[in-house]
Amino acid sequence: MRRLGGVLAAVVLCGTAACTNAPPPPLVPKSEAPVITTTGPKIKEIVVGVDDVAGGYNPHATATQSQITTALSSLLLPSVFRAGPDGAPELDRNLMVSAKVTKAEPFTVTYSIRKDASWSDSAPIAAEDFYYLWQRMRSEPGVVDPAGYRLINNISAREGGKVVEVAFGKPFPGWRSLFGNLLPAHLLKDAPGTWSNVLATNFPATAGPFAVRSLDEPRGEVILERSDRYWEVPTTLDRVVLRRATHTAMAESLSKGDNQAVLLRADAADVNLMKSIPNLDTKPVPRNEVAQVLLRPASQQLADLKTRKAVVAALDRDALIASGAQSGPSAQLRADSYVVPPSRTGYRAVIGGNTLDPAATEQLLTEAGYAKGPDGAWAKGGKALKLKIAAPDRIEPYVTVANQVKAQLASRGVQAEVVTPKADELFTVQLLQKDIDVVVGPRVDAGDSAAGLASQFGCTGEAPDGGTPVPVNAAGFCDPVLQAEIDSALNGKVLLADALTRIEPQLQAQAVAVPLFQIADLLGVLPAAVSGVGTGAPLAGVLSGAPEWRRLDK
């Protein structure tokens, strides 16, 4: 057995392919080959209109969450478990032979990978892919739900890397949520650049029934073709095409039969537009994102609890939801929980009514030492209360909601400015600093709500000197008393539902977050042209079901 972890030793795994000192293959290939190449009128393809195909495509980075990232990763990257029809994780036997707990002390999970499972460049899917993802998820800033990965102490391998043993420091009932969307470690581990470059513009290798024929971001088109290197039953489709278009152009393409489906972020007008197309079936598709407003205790301006409470009371939550959802599918997914998304099993509303309370804002700011000047602006010691609100650049609905937050605060005498750094910079660099007071962005659900709770609101653990625990979450929030409850839920000592009845009221009292709504897209399908095109497994994306799609009119 070979050790992959450990503090003093750095071990590099090689699969069945030999290790080499040659430079790694380029990470931005024009296409993957070989794939099925078909021409002429007999091509069985389905064209899906989408809002955008812009990179990056790393499903593990908060900065790159989008409908296209979820769609592509669910189809092109291998996962140990995938969401079943009810949302519960099911072992993907296209990749795995088995995955089970094999030891209680230390808590150990053994994974057995199919011997024929390989990447599109013929490299085996093996233990090094598990090891690479573990190392990145436990150490990189801005990743989605790292709490479970941080519980892992060591990974070891045998049988040529096809059997992987993962040892945890503490029990982790949510272990099935780990090692989804594995990445090709043999191409990435020694590649130049940083984590932000991973899957920035393309997929260096894939593992599934489809491969990337072309990913043309300037033209706004992704072509996926059936791969002849897939080791399981091939799909009946030759090709899936994702094509960027305006919503009006999508409607026209559907009417002409050029598109067989569309997936768009819709407002009320778009919903009506799609309803006007004859024989088009429409359904909402919830994403794994909940839009929220974070008030950061890590910032100098909002370190004081009374000030945070005053800011929350100055916000009209109902109006923020309306401005972001725009009467589209998201409007039906109001998020009244700090942890579980509305579309998930186990969701329970804990926030009642609106947050707006102007009288409370006045009282709390006064108690915090602020005074209102002749111009109606709040200040302390001659310095105005001015907050910096950050939202990821050009990513909606977050920029729209951030500007609405600014306007609402201004109406209550709290000055604010909106900044829109690039998403990767915001979630990996700027939130480690203290000059951003408020963040409007996503809370991402990666499959296990206990891990999501620990990742969003938990501390990292003891400081190196054995002192106070430190936060690494986007809010910069860490409550050592609350941490004990969070750890109990993460380690399975108490049921998550029971823990949340105590934790969520405390989160509300701490005025750290204001959940708004779960983002949902609108799926439109022409049932006369295709079958099997649906919403996919819960939060897995529409393309998760693409291997079962059929073209009916060709």
Side-chain angles (χ1 to χ4, degrees):
M1 183 178 294
R2 306 176 62 192
R3 284 180 58 84
L4 306 189
V7 177
L8 299 179
V11 180
V12 178
L13 278 180
C14 295
T16 56
C19 291
T20 176
N21 292 322
L27 297 185
V28 191
K30 290 294 182 181
S31 64
E32 293 181 345
V35 295
I36 289 290
T37 54
T38 51
T39 57
K42 293 184 179 180
I43 293 176
K44 295 179 181 179
E45 73 173 12
I46 292 178
V47 181
V48 183
V50 295
D51 289 317
D52 206 350
V53 299
Y57 309 108
N58 187 347
H60 303 291
T62 301
T64 52
Q65 297 301 305
S66 68
Q67 60 173 217
I68 195 69
T69 294
T70 299
L72 293 178
S73 62
S74 67
L75 189 60
L76 300 176
L77 297 178
S79 293
V80 174
F81 285 86
R82 296 187 184 275
D86 61 352
E90 295 181 352
L91 187 69
D92 185 357
R93 295 194 178 277
N94 291 330
L95 173 69
M96 304 297 300
V97 175
S98 64
K100 57 187 177 182
V101 177
T102 52
K103 192 183 297 184
E105 185 60 40
F107 185 83
T108 302
V109 179
T110 299
Y111 301 84
S112 180
I113 308 167
R114 286 179 51 158
K115 296 187 184 304
D116 54 355
S118 62
W119 295 99
S120 54
D121 62 358
S122 298
I125 299 171
E128 66 174 343
D129 302 315
F130 285 66
Y131 184 80
Y132 174 80
L133 187 59
W134 167 47
Q135 290 293 298
R136 299 281 64 78
M137 292 298 289
R138 73 175 188 165
S139 61
E140 297 288 350
V143 295
V144 175
D145 281 9
Y149 289 95
R150 290 180 181 146
L151 294 177
I152 297 174
N153 279 352
N154 185 62
I155 293 180
S156 56
R158 50 191 168 87
E159 296 186 23
K162 287 295 186 176
V163 175
V164 187
E165 290 190 350
V166 179
F168 293 77
K170 296 180 180 179
F172 180 42
W175 61 271
R176 292 173 182 83
S177 66
L178 302 180
F179 302 113
N181 295 317
L182 291 168
L183 302 173
H186 65 290
L187 296 179
L188 299 175
K189 64 185 180 184
D190 298 322
T194 64
W195 175 249
S196 62
N197 299 131
V198 171
L199 274 59
T201 59
N202 210 319
F203 291 77
T206 62
F210 290 95
V212 179
R213 178 63 177 178
S214 67
L215 203 166
D216 193 332
E217 193 174 325
R219 288 184 57 198
E221 185 175 81
V222 179
I223 299 177
L224 307 176
E225 287 193 344
R226 187 173 68 242
S227 174
D228 66 357
R229 286 183 173 165
Y230 185 48
W231 57 92
E232 257 295 344
V233 178
T235 177
T236 60
L237 279 182
D238 297 317
R239 183 181 293 171
V240 174
V241 179
L242 305 178
R243 188 168 292 154
R244 181 181 63 211
T246 65
H247 296 175
T248 301
M250 287 184 197
E252 183 178 350
S253 294
L254 285 168
S255 298
K256 292 179 177 179
D258 296 334
N259 282 13
Q260 291 74 52
V262 295
L263 184 67
L264 64 153
R265 183 173 177 267
D267 58 18
D270 296 319
V271 172
N272 290 331
L273 174 64
M274 292 300 147
K275 285 183 177 179
S276 70
I277 299 172
N279 303 316
L280 183 72
D281 288 347
T282 58
K283 296 177 182 178
V285 184
R287 292 193 205 174
N288 61 346
E289 297 177 54
V290 172
Q292 65 178 357
V293 179
L294 286 177
L295 293 88
R296 305 186 70 239
S299 82
Q300 295 178 352
Q301 299 266 46
L302 295 181
D304 176 64
L305 175 58
K306 287 184 177 179
T307 305
R308 294 201 304 274
K309 286 185 172 181
V311 171
V312 171
L315 297 178
D316 185 340
R317 180 168 170 257
D318 290 344
L320 293 179
I321 293 171
S323 70
Q326 298 181 354
S327 299
S330 298
Q332 306 304 314
L333 294 171
R334 180 185 177 105
D336 288 325
S337 166
Y338 292 91
V339 178
V340 182
S343 70
R344 258 203 182 281
T345 302
Y347 170 75
R348 181 178 62 90
V350 296
I351 304 171
N354 202 356
T355 51
L356 183 62
D357 189 344
T361 295
E362 299 253 344
Q363 180 181 340
L364 287 163
L365 285 179
T366 301
E367 292 176 0
Y370 289 92
K372 184 177 285 189
D375 59 354
W378 292 93
K380 180 195 291 187
K383 184 177 180 180
L385 175 60
K386 184 176 182 180
L387 303 180
K388 181 180 286 189
I389 304 166
D393 182 37
R394 295 185 294 177
I395 298 180
E396 293 295 352
Y398 305 116
V399 175
T400 293
V401 173
N403 283 297
Q404 182 71 9
V405 169
K406 173 185 175 181
Q408 291 183 2
L409 293 178
S411 69
R412 303 297 167 196
V414 178
Q415 299 180 45
E417 64 170 325
V418 173
V419 296
T420 55
K422 291 182 178 179
D424 58 347
E425 180 183 348
L426 172 61
F427 293 113
T428 61
V429 178
Q430 297 203 9
L431 293 190
L432 300 178
Q433 303 168 1
K434 297 185 177 182
D435 64 332
I436 293 178
D437 306 295
V438 178
V439 179
V440 180
R443 183 180 83 238
V444 183
D445 185 292
D448 182 72
S449 295
L453 166 66
S455 300
Q456 289 285 326
F457 300 109
C459 311
T460 58
E462 292 295 324
D465 60 359
T468 305
V470 293
V472 292
N473 52 62
F477 173 75
C478 176
D479 185 332
V481 175
L482 193 60
Q483 185 64 33
E485 290 271 14
I486 293 174
D487 286 340
S488 293
L490 184 65
N491 303 143
K493 294 180 180 179
V494 299
L495 293 175
L496 176 65
D498 293 339
L500 289 179
T501 61
R502 297 183 293 273
I503 292 172
E504 290 194 293
Q506 294 182 61
L507 291 175
Q508 188 170 19
Q510 289 284 346
V512 175
V514 180
L516 300 176
F517 56 90
Q518 185 174 0
I519 297 176
D521 298 306
L522 185 69
L523 172 67
V525 180
L526 292 172
V530 295
S531 68
V533 181
T535 58
L539 304 185
V542 169
L543 259 68
S544 64
E548 308 302 322
W549 292 0
R550 301 288 185 273
R551 185 69 187 263
L552 301 178
D553 58 351
K554 278 194 176 183

